[in-house]
Amino acid sequence: MEFINIGLFGLGTVGSGIVEILSKNGEIISREIGKKIKLKKICVKDINKKRNLKLDKSILTSNPDDIINDKEIDIVVEVIGGIDDAKKIIEKSINNGKHIISANKDLFALYGDEITSLAKTNGVHLLFEAAVAGGIPILKALQNDLYGNNIMKISGIVNGSTNYILTRMDIENLNLQDVVEEAKKLGFLEADPSADLEGLDAARKCAILATIGFNNLVTTNDVYTCGITDISLEDIKIARNMGYKIKLLATAENRKNGIVVMVHPTLLKNNHALASVDYELNSVYLEGDMVGETMFYGKGAGSLPTGSAVIGDLVLISKKITEKISPDYSYKIYNNKPILDIDQLSFSYFFRLNIKENIPEENKIRDILGDLGIKIDMINKINQNQYGIITKETPEIDFKNFKNSINNKLSLSSKIKEIRVLV
C-alpha cells in the first residue's frame, strides 16, 4: 500500500489531537483512503520539550523548510495559529505544490480569498473545516450538503469559552471575573483572554461562515463585534426572571439589500433551541430556502474534536489525490453585496433603567419612553429604583438617540447598557 506523506506544523492542543487520532484510528483512515497515512515530519518550536505522546523524535524539526521543501510530503497541516508565520508557511507550501489543511480562523477570516486564489493558481487542495466550531462539520455542510439552497441566515454559539462563562454565571450565580479566572486555570481561556471575551474569536468564525454560506466575501473587519466584558450577574438574573438567557451569538444574514454580520450578547427565550446549549458546547443554526431550519450541535473546541475535523479534511484530500479529482474550494465568491452597517438595522433591546429617586409607576415609564420613540414589549419592576425593560423592534439609530436624551426625562444613577434580543 502506498503512502500519503504528511507534514505537520504545530504540536500543541490540536496537533497532539491529530497525532493521537492517527495513532488510534490509523487503520480505519488508511482503509478509507486506500493508502497509508505517514506523518513524515512535525515542525515545532522546541524539539526537546517533554510531550505526552509516543513519537519518534527523529521526525521533529524546528526548521519549517524541512517540510516546505521536502518533495515527498504531499499534504501540509498547519495548526500553529496566528497570522504572519502561518501565512508564510501556507503560501510557500502552496507554491511548492503541497495541499493544505488548516485550523486557522484568524488567517482565513482575513486572507481566505487571497489564499484560495493562490491554491487555485497552483492547482492544490485547500480545506480548513477545523477553523470554525471544532468538531462540528459546518463548513462542509454549507459547501456541499446544502448546495441546493439559498442560505438566508446563519446564527450560533461558536465560542465555547464565553459560553462556558455565561453558563456558569447563570447556573451558579457567579460574577464574570470569578469565572474568567477559573476558566484560565481549567484551560478554557488563554492567559490573555481578550480575543474570546471581546468577541473577536467569534467574529472571525462569523466572517468565514458568511463568506462560504452566502458566496459573498466577508472579513473580520466587516463584522460588528461586541463581547461579554460588560455582562454582569445582575443582567443574567434579571433576564432569567423575565424568561430569557444571555448568550454570545454570531449572526450572519443574507438580505436583499446586503449582508448582516455581527457578534454580540443576545437575550434568547428559554425555549429557543440555542438557549439550551451550555458550557463549552457550540451550535450553529441555519435557514435555507429549501431545507428550512436546521441546527448543528457538538464540541466546538478541544484536542480531539478539532483534531477530528482536521482528519476529516485529510481523508477527503487524500481520496481526491488518489482518485485524481480536481480541487473544489470553500471560498466561491459569486456575489458582491454590501455589508450593512449596524445603524441600518433594527432590534428589540433589553436594558435596565436605574433611577435615582422618585421612580414613576409603570404606565408613566411607558409614556416617557414612548415620547422618546421607544415602545415597550415587556417591563419588570425589579426593586424600588429599577426596571428591567424589553422594547419592541426599534431602529438602532433611534435607540442611540434615546440613550442620549433619556436623562432629560429621568434622573438615572447609571448609563443605559443595552443587550439585543432575538425575537
Side-chain angles (χ1 to χ4, degrees):
M1 185 178 282
E2 297 179 23
F3 289 98
I4 296 286
N5 290 309
I6 308 299
L8 173 63
F9 283 90
L11 202 51
T13 300
V14 180
S16 297
I18 293 166
V19 172
E20 184 176 345
I21 294 169
L22 288 174
S23 175
K24 290 182 177 179
N25 294 339
E27 288 187 14
I28 299 171
I29 295 165
S30 295
R31 189 163 60 241
E32 177 65 23
I33 294 169
K35 293 184 178 182
K36 286 189 175 180
I37 294 291
K38 181 179 180 181
L39 198 51
K40 191 168 189 288
K41 191 69 71 175
I42 303 174
C43 186
V44 294
K45 286 183 179 179
D46 182 3
I47 62 175
N48 296 313
K49 180 180 176 181
K50 289 185 178 180
R51 295 177 173 89
N52 295 322
L53 290 168
K54 292 180 181 179
L55 276 176
D56 181 351
K57 281 195 173 182
S58 66
I59 70 170
L60 297 180
T61 181
S62 57
N63 182 1
D65 289 338
D66 288 344
I67 292 177
I68 294 169
N69 296 327
D70 187 335
K71 293 183 179 179
E72 293 184 352
I73 288 177
D74 304 293
I75 301 173
V76 166
V77 178
E78 179 276 311
V79 290
I80 62 173
I83 294 178
D84 294 339
D85 289 344
K87 189 169 186 282
K88 289 175 185 175
I89 287 166
I90 288 174
E91 288 175 339
K92 286 182 179 179
S93 298
I94 289 173
N95 285 326
N96 277 1
K98 302 194 185 305
H99 308 287
I100 302 296
I101 297 167
S102 177
N104 198 325
K105 60 187 173 294
D106 304 36
L107 178 62
F108 281 90
L110 284 174
Y111 299 108
D113 190 42
E114 179 182 325
I115 294 170
T116 298
S117 295
L118 185 64
K120 284 181 179 179
T121 299
N122 287 272
V124 301
H125 295 274
L126 169 67
L127 292 175
F128 44 93
E129 179 65 59
V132 179
I136 303 172
I138 186 64
L139 301 188
K140 285 188 181 69
L142 284 169
Q143 184 185 351
N144 300 309
D145 300 334
L146 296 169
Y147 194 73
N149 286 261
N150 286 311
I151 303 299
M152 298 173 291
K153 185 175 181 179
I154 306 168
S155 184
I157 297 165
V158 295
N159 182 273
S161 300
T162 50
N163 201 44
Y164 173 84
I165 290 166
L166 292 171
T167 300
R168 290 201 59 198
M169 288 175 70
D170 183 26
I171 292 174
E172 301 175 44
N173 289 319
L174 296 172
N175 290 312
L176 176 71
Q177 198 54 45
D178 292 337
V179 185
V180 166
E181 292 306 316
E182 191 167 345
K184 287 181 186 178
K185 293 175 185 177
L186 293 171
F188 287 112
L189 286 174
E190 301 290 338
D192 178 4
S194 55
D196 290 315
L197 299 182
E198 293 173 10
L200 183 57
D201 174 84
R204 290 162 177 158
K205 296 168 183 175
C206 186
I208 294 170
L209 287 168
T211 299
I212 296 175
F214 307 150
N215 302 118
N216 199 107
L217 184 60
V218 177
T219 70
T220 308
N221 298 330
D222 295 320
V223 182
Y224 170 83
T225 307
C226 176
I228 68 166
T229 51
D230 284 339
I231 300 298
S232 68
L233 179 56
E234 190 174 12
D235 292 326
I236 286 176
K237 285 180 176 179
I238 296 168
R240 184 197 305 152
N241 290 336
M242 298 176 79
Y244 289 84
K245 281 190 178 182
I246 299 176
K247 299 289 186 181
L248 183 70
L249 285 196
T251 301
E253 294 182 23
N254 188 10
R255 300 185 180 183
K256 287 183 178 180
N257 61 333
I259 302 296
V260 174
V261 273
M262 53 194 180
V263 169
H264 54 72
T266 307
L267 257 68
L268 301 172
K269 287 184 178 178
N270 285 336
N271 61 0
H272 192 284
L274 290 174
S276 62
V277 179
D278 286 334
Y279 295 102
E280 66 271 28
L281 291 170
N282 280 197
S283 186
V284 181
Y285 163 90
L286 301 176
E287 290 182 24
D289 61 349
M290 297 293 112
V291 75
E293 299 177 357
T294 187
M295 195 166 87
F296 298 76
Y297 175 87
K299 292 183 178 180
S303 175
L304 296 178
T306 308
S308 174
V310 171
I311 296 299
D313 284 348
L314 178 60
V315 169
L316 187 58
I317 288 179
S318 297
K319 288 174 76 172
K320 287 187 175 183
I321 293 171
T322 301
E323 296 167 13
K324 297 181 180 180
I325 297 173
S326 299
D328 181 29
Y329 299 101
S330 299
Y331 273 28
K332 301 170 184 175
I333 312 302
Y334 307 137
N335 303 314
N336 189 29
K337 288 184 179 180
I339 307 299
L340 300 180
D341 188 86
I342 196 79
D343 284 346
Q344 296 174 264
L345 308 178
S346 297
F347 303 93
S348 176
Y349 301 88
F350 161 81
F351 62 94
R352 286 185 280 128
L353 203 57
N354 300 312
I355 303 171
K356 287 181 182 177
E357 55 189 17
N358 300 323
I359 183 165
E361 292 300 317
E362 181 179 321
N363 288 339
K364 183 63 175 175
I365 289 289
R366 288 181 180 273
D367 290 342
I368 291 171
L369 269 58
D371 289 343
L372 295 171
I374 303 298
K375 294 181 180 179
I376 297 176
D377 183 56
M378 186 186 300
I379 185 165
N380 181 26
K381 189 171 183 179
I382 299 157
N383 56 43
Q384 217 31 49
N385 295 92
Q386 189 178 58
Y387 282 108
I389 293 169
I390 294 177
T391 74
K392 293 186 181 297
E393 190 169 292
T394 305
E396 174 85 6
I397 195 69
D398 288 354
F399 193 83
K400 286 180 178 177
N401 292 334
F402 153 72
K403 285 172 63 179
N404 292 332
S405 58
I406 184 64
N407 277 307
N408 296 327
K409 297 284 187 176
L410 291 169
S411 179
L412 302 183
S413 58
S414 62
K415 289 183 179 179
I416 287 177
K417 176 185 67 178
E418 74 276 12
I419 303 173
R420 294 173 183 87
V421 182
L422 185 66
V423 293

